[in-house]
Amino acid sequence: MKKILFALLAATMLIGCQEKKEEKITIGVILPLTGELSGFGSLMRDDLMIAYKLHDTTKYELAYIDSKSESKTAILGLNQLINTLDVKYIIGDVGSSVTMSLIPTITHNQILLLSPGASSPQLHNISPFFARNYPTDVQESKDVAQYIASKYQDPNIAIVYSNSEYGQGLYNGFKESFASL
């Protein structure tokens, strides 16, 4: 009996003295690795991998989802990250419309979303759980208008833009900014 009690006591002490193994924090990454904006998504993935390797990789891990530049695919991926991996931090997406589609889910689940490329002014203050490190279309087009006005004196400017939400936003912002200079 004494041997059993001693063994239990020793086992309890050994277990209590072992270092507690910290769980890794999983950061979800939702980027267009294929599809219309895959060029941007692939570059951002490569940049994240470089940053990841420069930091303590024993504390963090990255879980990637290919949004394919599609809102539906991004939402399914986001739900997978939340429900399967219990992710609390997300980096993504590049496109404003895809990012916009993630806002209700991240807000409801209180998941932090940092976008490295979404520029729509509609995202400004959209959620307390959303941030971006990229300028809005308004700021970007204002900066371009100021640059062109400082380099060229001709008030006649031709503007070529893509017929998309992003292109239209840049066009409208540039036109308004340039006219006011």
Side-chain angles (χ1 to χ4, degrees):
M1 180 73 160
K2 283 184 182 179
K3 287 183 181 179
I4 293 173
L5 286 175
F6 181 74
L8 286 174
L9 181 60
T12 303
M13 288 173 56
L14 284 173
I15 291 170
C17 291
Q18 289 180 349
E19 269 190 49
K20 201 173 188 181
K21 199 173 188 180
E22 285 188 36
E23 289 188 35
K24 284 187 175 186
I25 296 172
T26 302
I27 300 171
V29 181
I30 302 173
L31 292 172
L33 302 175
T34 60
E36 182 181 347
L37 298 176
S38 63
F40 296 108
S42 296
L43 288 172
M44 289 181 187
R45 178 201 57 214
D46 295 347
D47 292 344
L48 280 170
M49 290 307 299
I50 291 168
Y52 177 72
K53 289 177 183 176
L54 293 174
H55 290 83
D56 187 355
T57 58
T58 61
K59 293 183 180 183
Y60 305 98
E61 63 186 354
L62 302 175
Y64 288 89
I65 297 291
D66 179 7
S67 72
K68 302 178 183 177
S69 302
E70 300 170 350
S71 294
K72 184 178 178 180
T73 304
I75 292 168
L76 290 171
L78 175 60
N79 286 321
Q80 178 185 352
L81 290 169
I82 293 169
N83 298 326
T84 306
L85 299 176
D86 196 31
V87 168
K88 299 292 182 208
Y89 310 99
I90 304 285
I91 297 172
D93 192 273
V94 175
S96 294
S97 58
V98 173
T99 300
M100 191 87 70
S101 72
L102 302 175
I103 298 299
T105 304
I106 62 114
T107 303
H108 175 76
N109 290 284
Q110 298 183 353
I111 306 293
L112 181 63
L113 173 63
L114 173 65
S115 174
S119 60
S120 173
Q122 294 175 350
L123 288 164
H124 182 70
N125 289 331
I126 197 165
S127 169
F129 300 98
F130 173 74
R132 60 179 157 194
N133 63 350
Y134 194 82
T136 67
D137 297 343
V138 173
Q139 185 61 51
E140 197 172 5
S141 56
K142 180 180 177 183
D143 292 344
V144 171
Q146 288 174 342
Y147 175 79
I148 290 175
S150 72
K151 295 290 182 191
Y152 305 100
Q153 302 306 313
D154 188 353
N156 298 312
I157 301 288
I159 303 171
V160 178
Y161 61 97
S162 66
N163 191 19
S164 65
E165 182 181 338
Y166 176 69
Q168 193 68 44
L170 289 175
Y171 168 74
N172 291 336
F174 177 85
K175 193 168 100 174
E176 184 179 309
S177 295
F178 194 77
S180 69
L181 296 175

